[in-house]
Amino acid sequence: MATRLPPLNPLRTFEVAARHLSFTRAARELHVTPGAVSRQVMVLEEFLGARLFERVNREVRLTAVGRRYLDDLNDVFDNIGEATQRAMQGVRDKPLHIWCPMTFAMRWLVPRLPAFHAANPGRDAIFTTSLKPVDFTEHDADVAIRMGRGDWPGVISRFLVGIELLPVCSPRLLDGRAPLAHPRDLARHTLLQSVARPEYWPTWLEAAGAGDIDPDRGMTFESVSLAYQAALEGLGVAMGQHALVAEDLAAGRLVAPFGLRVPIDNAFYLIYPERLQYDTHLCTFRDWILAEARADEARRAPPRA
């Protein structure tokens, strides 16, 4: 007689909720509402005829049955993941398709790719650069880097790189007649910005106490990459994303005349569809880029006093 299996969606919901011990955090991971998580857990509890959680003072705790069930399920989910990886190995014979913003690709990702290919010589990749948000149901992409808050429905998102704003310019500009000793000195310089990120200059100027400077004057470019190149050529002062100009700052090609870095809510995330979460090529790239991001963050961290 075949064993009766529980409904799979409630099973997965239970695993996530039990791992977080929070219906709210589980809802964020699953991109549903906390109420939907609660209903799925209740479906599983009704199937089992046993309570899996205790709800105490707005907190959830696993019951003894819930703890035993989670321990058993962890082994099952691990086996499913490993079986899926084995089944997919050798099936994918096409390169990994990566969807990425142009500036991030040029200034952060591509300079690191030689190390990836040296460690993974058989992993080919195709790049599409676009500011348009990827749609994995329409675009032939496997994985993407996207700017935002990491809360997109229907995908797995992993934090990559935070964004801190700071003005940058060529060192030649510091030798000119107009000083750059105080943020208000920017009123005497050409501001370089991108139509893609018009909010960057106003955000930084306001935080620096120079909000009365008109951020729209100066030169405007189609992309952030062009604004950075203009800064390298000495045309003016660009608003930099620290992670994307760190190499130029370290090499002395650019300088940051002011110490103020202004963090913003958005960041760069690695995202991919749930159906590919066990894909061998994707997992290899994911693990590598996450390690690179952690190492980069450690290098850019300000020294401790």
Side-chain angles (χ1 to χ4, degrees), residues 48 54 62 95:
L48 297 172
E54 295 176 332
L62 286 168

Side-chain angles (χ1 to χ4, degrees), residues 199-223:
E199 73 279 9
Y200 278 5
W201 267 114
T203 298
W204 189 91
L205 288 170
E206 191 66 33
D212 56 334
I213 295 177
D214 181 6
D216 294 326
R217 63 174 188 79
M219 302 179 70
T220 302
F221 298 87
E222 182 181 16
S223 70

Side-chain angles (χ1 to χ4, degrees), residues 194-247:
S194 160
V195 293
R197 308 292 175 214
E199 73 279 9
Y200 278 5
W201 267 114
T203 298
W204 189 91
L205 288 170
E206 191 66 33
D212 56 334
I213 295 177
D214 181 6
D216 294 326
R217 63 174 188 79
M219 302 179 70
T220 302
F221 298 87
E222 182 181 16
S223 70
V224 176
S225 295
L226 289 174
Y228 290 159
Q229 188 61 41
L232 286 164
E233 299 299 332
L235 291 178
V237 185
M239 183 51 60
Q241 299 155 300
H242 186 233
L244 305 190
V245 296
E247 295 297 326

Side-chain angles (χ1 to χ4, degrees), residues 168-180 189 192 227-237 248 251-257:
V168 294
C169 64
S170 167
R172 299 194 302 274
L173 217 60
L174 300 183
D175 298 329
R177 296 179 179 178
L180 276 170
H189 287 266
L192 310 173
Y228 290 159
Q229 188 61 41
L232 286 164
E233 299 299 332
L235 291 178
V237 185
D248 286 311
R253 293 185 292 268
L254 290 174
V255 293

Side-chain angles (χ1 to χ4, degrees), residues 71-92:
D71 289 341
D72 292 339
L73 285 178
N74 281 335
D75 293 335
V76 172
F77 283 127
D78 287 343
N79 289 336
I80 292 173
E82 291 171 4
T84 303
Q85 276 193 314
R86 287 193 297 270
M88 294 179 74
Q89 273 183 332
V91 174
R92 171 194 279 275

